[in-house]
């Protein structure tokens, strides 16, 4: 089981930026799908973005495409979520998740697909 620790959350005004980090407790080899999810109070957990550790184009939810960027530094065993042009509707607890897989694919945004989760980091965007 992989331990994941998120950091970088906080409170910003609309239009601002934050960068979230997800550090893994052990080396994530090149066959993992790494996802970022978020959950607002009273809402279901939704996929935000995902990246395959072996490379290739990432996946994004339509609500964040063009504003958020997922990236990774395999040498540091860390994944990132750069969030720009933040909106109040981006307010949520953000979670990092991992699953051993040969690809992320069409199910990248399904929470039940992922085996390991971090504790979450809160992002609050005020208008």
């Amino acid at each position: 089981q992989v331990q994941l620790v998120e950091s970088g959350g906080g409170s910003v005004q609309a239009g601002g930026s934050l960068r979230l980090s997800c550090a893994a407790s052990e080396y994530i080899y090149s066959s993992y799908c790494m996802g970022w999810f978020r959950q607002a109070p009273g809402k279901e957990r939704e996929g935000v973005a995902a990246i395959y550790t072996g490379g290739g184009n990432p996946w994004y939810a339509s609500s964040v495409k063009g504003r958020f960027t997922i990236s990774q530094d395999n040498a540091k065993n860390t994944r990132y979520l750069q969030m720009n042009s933040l909106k109040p509707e981006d307010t949520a607890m953000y979670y990092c998740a991992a699953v051993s897989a040969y690809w992320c694919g069409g199910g990248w945004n399904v929470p039940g697909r992922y085996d390991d989760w971090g504790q979450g980091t809160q992002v609050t965007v005020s208008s």
Side-chain angles (χ1 to χ4, degrees), residues 9-13 18 90-92 122-126:
S11 297
V12 296
Q13 290 192 325
L18 285 172
D90 294 319
T91 295
Q122 178 68 37
V123 172
T124 303
V125 185
S126 58

Side-chain angles (χ1 to χ4, degrees), residues 86-98:
L86 282 161
K87 304 175 181 180
E89 51 264 43
D90 294 319
T91 295
M93 185 72 78
Y94 282 71
Y95 298 91
C96 177

Side-chain angles (χ1 to χ4, degrees), residues 1 18 28-29 37 60 63 81 89 119-120 124:
Q1 188 173 4
L18 285 172
I28 300 289
Y29 293 93
F37 288 77
Y60 294 99
S63 58
L81 186 68
E89 51 264 43
Q119 82 290 347
T124 303

Side-chain angles (χ1 to χ4, degrees), residues 47-123:
V48 175
I51 191 167
Y52 179 60
T53 54
N57 293 326
W59 291 259
Y60 294 99
S62 58
S63 58
V64 307
K65 202 167 186 178
R67 300 188 298 122
F68 290 11
T69 302
I70 188 172
S71 63
Q72 59 189 350
D73 185 335
N74 286 332
K76 295 183 177 180
N77 209 21
T78 301
R79 277 76 202 166
Y80 304 97
L81 186 68
Q82 177 67 43
M83 306 186 295
N84 298 329
S85 302
L86 282 161
K87 304 175 181 180
E89 51 264 43
D90 294 319
T91 295
M93 185 72 78
Y94 282 71
Y95 298 91
C96 177
V99 61
S100 178
Y102 288 103
W103 197 239
C104 290
W108 70 267
N109 59 344
V110 178
R113 182 180 175 191
Y114 293 79
D115 295 324
D116 302 301
W117 292 82
Q119 82 290 347
T121 185
Q122 178 68 37
V123 172

